[in-house]
Amino acid sequence: MHWLRCHKMIVGFGFVLLLLGLTAAPPAAAGPSGVAGPSVAGSGSSGAAVPEGARVGESGAGPNAVTFKGRAFDTCRAPSADTMRRWRASPYRAVGVYFGGRGRACRSQPHLSHGWMRTVQGQGWRVLPLYVGSQSTCVLSRHKKNVRIGRHPWNQGTAEARDAVQRATALGIRPGSPLFLDMEAYAYWNEKCGRSTLLFVRGWDREVSRQGYLPGFYSSAESGVRHMERSRRAGVPDLPKVVWFARWGVKNGLHSEPVLRKNAWMPARRIHQYAGNVRERHGGRTLLIDRNLMHAPVARIG
């Protein structure tokens, strides 16, 4: 018990030192420090269709954000358009799509294309684009250790953000859409690792914002999301605009997450992944999915 109390004190002190270091200037090439990322460029005249039930401009993340409140699922490989049509019999109305990143598990995405995006939108689906880029140097999953962040995290985050925007554009995902950086669980309390991971995330966020998209962030509630929340409280700039937290085995809910303050990422900027790796069958088709509850921006597809 005494050891645990001392351990917590050391971790807490180390995190304070970490945040003090993180408010220092990023690499010169990244631009001035201490200034929040630029406002999201508008796309009000894009002509992109607004999905049924979605709302525009209520999220606080940008004046042109299209938001959706309801249930969503994500699965490693984008299903065929026919499967998506059949899954309209399910309670889900939004789907998470892994559209890029060197850490993506299902690199083969035979169905994913601009045509697929327009088809599923026409079926009434909302899309949540997920990018699995480089992972923290202290990532816990052994399957992600081969794609860890390198020696220049800010520049690497910026470069991968450019790749994310390029891939999103090719799929018809318009500015004003969220792009979610998937950062699997990591030991954020490790000072050196926490610093490099946050620099990578901030570099990614700033570049995504600069190009007119909304930087989102997916991670476990007790790891990456706790890290982002502590950084937010400390006033660290260039943080995600939308947060997608994974906490399995609890009642689904957007406002009861213990690591987030009530006013954090509000309004309409939260997604809760409350169950994972479950099989569901709808319309005669079975998929292995994660279950989510959301009130957050979705992709604008044109």
Side-chain angles (χ1 to χ4, degrees):
M1 179 68 71
H2 293 296
W3 176 86
L4 179 60
R5 188 180 299 113
C6 291
H7 175 70
K8 288 181 177 179
M9 290 175 64
I10 292 169
V11 169
F13 181 68
F15 194 81
V16 171
L17 292 177
L18 167 64
L19 289 177
L20 288 174
L22 286 170
T23 55
S33 175
V35 180
S39 59
V40 177
S43 58
S45 60
S46 67
V50 177
E52 176 188 355
R55 301 176 183 175
V56 179
E58 66 170 34
S59 72
N64 298 300
V66 176
T67 64
F68 169 69
K69 184 176 183 180
R71 296 181 64 179
F73 77 92
D74 61 276
T75 186
C76 191
R77 183 172 286 110
S80 69
D82 184 57
T83 296
M84 294 299 295
R85 178 184 62 81
R86 291 168 179 262
W87 264 57
R88 285 287 293 175
S90 77
Y92 305 103
R93 289 297 178 266
V95 58
V97 174
Y98 293 87
F99 74 98
R102 72 189 194 104
R104 181 172 54 168
C106 293
R107 301 188 68 84
S108 173
Q109 296 282 348
H111 304 300
L112 193 56
S113 66
H114 188 183
W116 184 91
M117 288 282 191
R118 298 191 70 170
T119 297
V120 299
Q121 178 178 254
Q123 294 171 349
W125 290 99
R126 295 83 174 177
V127 176
L128 298 167
L130 284 147
Y131 184 90
V132 192
S134 295
Q135 299 293 296
S136 173
T137 57
C138 51
V139 64
L140 301 180
S141 171
R142 62 185 180 87
H143 300 293
K144 301 295 184 183
K145 292 185 182 296
N146 63 325
V147 290
R148 287 180 288 187
I149 298 166
R151 296 175 59 186
H152 305 286
W154 182 281
N155 292 339
Q156 188 173 353
T158 301
E160 292 191 27
R162 293 189 186 118
D163 178 64
V165 169
Q166 183 178 21
R167 291 176 182 273
T169 301
L171 290 172
I173 301 172
R174 305 293 295 269
S177 303
L179 302 180
F180 290 91
L181 177 64
D182 183 325
M183 186 67 68
E184 296 299 312
Y186 58 97
Y188 71 91
W189 55 87
N190 178 300
E191 182 179 349
K192 183 177 179 181
C193 174
R195 179 185 294 111
S196 65
T197 304
L198 190 49
L199 280 172
F200 176 89
V201 172
R202 291 175 61 206
W204 198 90
D205 292 346
R206 184 181 288 194
E207 182 62 19
V208 166
S209 292
R210 190 187 71 81
Q211 298 212 35
Y213 291 80
L214 303 177
F217 182 78
Y218 166 88
S219 191
S220 63
E222 289 293 347
S223 174
V225 173
R226 185 182 287 275
H227 191 192
M228 294 301 115
E229 170 64 349
R230 289 190 177 187
S231 302
R232 184 192 68 83
R233 294 182 195 178
V236 176
D238 300 311
L239 294 181
K241 298 291 187 184
V242 189
V243 67
W244 187 340
F245 54 94
R247 187 182 292 279
W248 297 359
V250 299
K251 183 178 180 180
N252 58 28
L254 298 174
H255 310 297
S256 56
E257 172 48 50
V259 308
L260 295 175
R261 286 187 177 173
K262 296 297 184 182
N263 64 340
W265 285 281
M266 290 289 289
R269 290 189 286 158
R270 292 187 181 191
I271 303 173
H272 177 200
Q273 186 183 88
Y274 60 90
N277 296 326
V278 295
R279 292 190 183 277
E280 287 194 26
R281 186 174 180 84
H282 300 285
R285 297 287 172 84
T286 301
L287 295 174
L288 183 67
I289 67 167
D290 300 329
R291 298 169 176 160
N292 306 274
L293 183 68
M294 65 173 292
H295 189 190
V298 293
R300 301 177 66 97
I301 300 168

